[in-house]
Amino acid sequence: MLNLKKNRSLWFWLTVAGFFVLFFYFYVLSFSPLPEQDVVKLYYVDNISATHQLLIDRFNEQYAGQIEVVPVNLPFSKFSTNERKEILARSLRSKSEKIDVFAVDIIWTQRFSRWSLALDPYFSEKWKQKFLQQSLSTCFYQNKLMAAPLYLDVGLLYYRDDLLQKLPDYEAIKRKLDQRMSWEEFLALGKRLSESGRPVFLFPANNFEGLMCVFYELLTPEQIAATFLADSIDLHKPEIVAALQHLHHLIHRDRLTPSVVTGFDEVECYNYLLQHDGYFVRGWPGFEFSVQEYNQQTQKNVRIGVAPVPYFRTKSARAIYGGWNLMVSENSQHKDEAIQFIKFLQEAENQKLLFSSGHYLPALKAVYQDSVFLARFPRLALHYRLLQNGQHRPMRSDYTRVSDILSFYFHQALKNEVGIEQALEMAEKEINSHRTNIN
């Protein structure tokens, strides 16, 4: 009997204790704030396309509870490359805490190095060998690794294949385009096509870096080096005059290019070509994504082809490289996490996603060596071939200053606000005076 009472007493107190445990759990803990986990917020500044967002989501899922990448979007649709450059420079100069990782045009590495973390301690020589030299070579300044490759671009000539197929000599035209059509042949074809009343050839001619890419594609690597890598720049050389004159002629003499391009960047050229059924546009690999979107929105079936940019028969000019690198702000409080994110973006599967989803050309060699992936995306093989025979813009420490001056005066010339010779003379004087502002 005594044991029974003891057992009942024990069960009673166990029940009471259990009740208080449950009460504490459901009522006290439920209404008390739990200690927050230290999740590092990493601010990433770039053109955050749908593809970029996919990669960010992948990373955030993989590092949930540890690191969260917060995208800061500077879209190409709203900001030109020049505007992005100035926004970044102002933010970094002011030591903004809202920048950890940021994307730069491959030609900007030198300019932004003053605000960036040197990456040599984080990336081995073996790591560097994984990337295309065309990309990796743009990541150094004063023999220090200041940037990490993300993706490349190369200048391309896109054409409306569905429109050209209506021509009786389509097959012959396509063979020439595939092999690389000369400017002499292109102008003759353009004269025929202009009779349709449609725009024949669009190129970005606003006051920004895209205009300079088109200009440099009219010069050989030797001509670029001789003129733009010299301490004092001479813009009166015949080849420089001829290149700017050629762009002017396309608009004002040959009338293959509508004058509205003087207000266009690449995206606006793409839109104009699609909306006005133009024939050709000078662009970057991302144009294919624009065509897909356009077809979905309009229920049309626009078909495009891609070819190397034209060349002059007497020159060995090549397409210009574009692309974007990643840098880490020197003022970032989360440098190790920033490196983790960069290395994540450089993994093979994520580099493949850059192309399969967004048509960005991977910087990683392994993607171009993957036969299964190339079989799925045969156009990547063409891009790779063109990447082997491109050329860089002049790698100067003051490149962005020189480029801003050139694009300003070249733009005035293409709008017929000043003559060709006058534009070149004013640009040369401005550059060689070493002043930094254009009034």
Side-chain angles (χ1 to χ4, degrees), residues 235-236 241 244-245 413 418-426:
L235 297 179
H236 290 86
V241 177
L244 184 56
Q245 189 75 62
V418 298
I420 299 294
E421 293 286 350
Q422 186 183 3
L424 292 169
E425 183 178 346
M426 289 189 294

Side-chain angles (χ1 to χ4, degrees), residues 209 212 292 333 363 384:
E209 184 63 21
M212 295 311 304
Q292 290 176 5
Q333 301 301 304
Y384 184 63

Side-chain angles (χ1 to χ4, degrees), residues 61-215:
E61 182 178 352
Q62 183 172 326
Y63 289 91
Q66 303 171 54
I67 310 171
E68 178 190 353
V69 172
V70 180
V72 181
N73 193 16
L74 295 180
F76 290 134
S77 58
K78 293 184 179 179
F79 302 98
S80 70
T81 50
N82 288 39
E83 289 168 337
R84 285 180 66 178
K85 176 184 65 183
E86 293 310 315
I87 290 170
L88 275 174
R90 286 198 301 269
S91 299
L92 292 164
R93 197 180 294 121
S94 65
K95 301 183 178 180
S96 171
E97 295 181 357
K98 298 299 183 183
I99 298 182
D100 292 295
V101 178
F102 59 98
V104 293
D105 187 310
I106 59 174
I107 202 67
W108 295 350
T109 300
Q110 295 184 357
R111 174 171 182 180
F112 283 91
S113 291
R114 71 188 78 173
W115 302 300
S116 302
L117 175 70
L119 302 180
D120 296 277
Y122 300 94
F123 297 105
S124 67
E125 288 300 318
K126 184 178 180 181
W127 169 88
K128 295 173 189 175
Q129 297 305 313
K130 295 180 179 181
F131 297 93
L132 296 175
Q133 187 58 30
Q134 296 90 331
S135 181
L136 185 64
S137 63
T138 67
C139 294
F140 292 87
Y141 180 54
Q142 295 181 341
N143 296 319
K144 292 181 180 179
L145 183 71
M146 300 304 302
L150 179 59
Y151 67 84
L152 277 169
D153 273 329
V154 65
L156 299 168
L157 180 68
Y158 283 102
Y159 58 91
R160 284 286 301 274
D161 195 52
D162 52 331
L163 298 180
L164 291 185
Q165 280 188 4
K166 298 175 182 179
L167 300 176
D169 53 346
Y170 165 75
E171 293 298 335
I173 292 171
K174 189 174 186 310
R175 278 195 300 273
K176 286 185 178 180
L177 286 169
D178 290 343
Q179 293 166 3
R180 194 179 185 197
M181 185 175 280
S182 71
W183 272 113
E184 291 83 359
E185 292 169 323
F186 187 85
L187 292 172
L189 174 62
K191 187 175 181 180
R192 283 176 55 195
L193 297 177
S194 65
E195 296 175 2
S196 69
R198 294 179 173 138
V200 174
F201 176 61
L202 292 145
F203 66 91
N206 207 341
N207 173 21
F208 83 120
E209 184 63 21
L211 170 58
M212 295 311 304
C213 291
V214 176
F215 171 78

Side-chain angles (χ1 to χ4, degrees), residues 192-434:
R192 283 176 55 195
L193 297 177
S194 65
E195 296 175 2
S196 69
R198 294 179 173 138
V200 174
F201 176 61
L202 292 145
F203 66 91
N206 207 341
N207 173 21
F208 83 120
E209 184 63 21
L211 170 58
M212 295 311 304
C213 291
V214 176
F215 171 78
Y216 286 125
E217 284 176 342
L218 302 174
L219 303 173
T220 67
E222 295 76 20
Q223 290 169 341
I224 290 175
T227 299
F228 296 102
L229 295 183
D231 291 335
S232 180
I233 290 180
D234 177 10
L235 297 179
H236 290 86
K237 294 178 179 179
E239 59 267 24
I240 304 299
V241 177
L244 184 56
Q245 189 75 62
H246 174 71
L247 297 179
H248 188 274
H249 283 342
L250 285 170
I251 299 171
H252 300 288
R253 186 194 69 181
D254 303 321
R255 299 189 181 280
L256 301 184
T257 302
S259 60
V260 291
V261 298
T262 57
F264 285 176
D265 61 15
E266 290 94 347
V267 173
E268 290 162 323
C269 282
Y270 301 160
N271 292 338
Y272 193 90
L273 179 95
L274 294 170
Q275 293 164 8
H276 294 82
D277 286 330
Y279 287 102
F280 294 93
V281 62
R282 189 276 181 200
W284 304 103
F287 176 50
E288 298 179 47
F289 187 70
S290 297
V291 174
Q292 290 176 5
E293 283 190 330
Y294 179 79
N295 282 338
Q296 290 170 359
Q297 292 170 1
T298 62
Q299 302 299 306
K300 292 186 177 181
N301 187 28
V302 167
R303 298 190 308 278
I304 59 167
V306 60
V309 294
Y311 72 102
F312 287 108
R313 285 175 176 156
T314 57
K315 296 182 179 181
S316 59
R318 306 168 185 172
I320 286 293
Y321 293 129
W324 293 79
N325 294 330
L326 297 173
M327 303 183 83
V328 177
S329 170
E330 193 173 43
N331 292 304
S332 171
Q333 301 301 304
H334 307 294
K335 296 180 175 65
D336 289 341
E337 291 83 0
I339 298 299
Q340 277 183 272
F341 179 56
I342 289 173
K343 288 184 175 180
F344 173 86
L345 295 177
Q346 294 172 331
E347 292 175 4
E349 290 308 307
N350 296 325
Q351 286 277 297
K352 289 177 183 177
L353 183 65
L354 279 171
F355 185 77
S356 62
S357 174
H359 297 288
Y360 302 105
L361 301 185
L364 194 69
K365 291 178 184 176
V367 178
Y368 300 94
Q369 297 164 355
D370 188 327
S371 58
V372 175
F373 191 73
L374 290 178
R376 283 182 59 204
F377 301 99
R379 188 160 284 180
L380 186 59
L382 168 63
H383 294 324
Y384 184 63
R385 177 166 61 85
L386 295 177
L387 284 173
Q388 306 312 303
N389 196 35
Q391 61 183 350
H392 282 292
R393 289 159 281 173
M395 298 277 184
R396 303 176 52 112
S397 59
D398 63 345
Y399 175 84
T400 56
R401 171 184 169 271
V402 171
S403 181
D404 286 349
I405 293 170
L406 291 171
S407 65
F408 177 82
Y409 289 110
F410 288 7
H411 181 243
Q412 284 193 325
L414 295 182
K415 289 198 299 180
N416 265 346
E417 292 181 356
V418 298
I420 299 294
E421 293 286 350
Q422 186 183 3
L424 292 169
E425 183 178 346
M426 289 189 294
E428 179 182 307
K429 183 178 179 181
E430 188 78 40
I431 291 168
N432 292 332
S433 71
H434 300 291

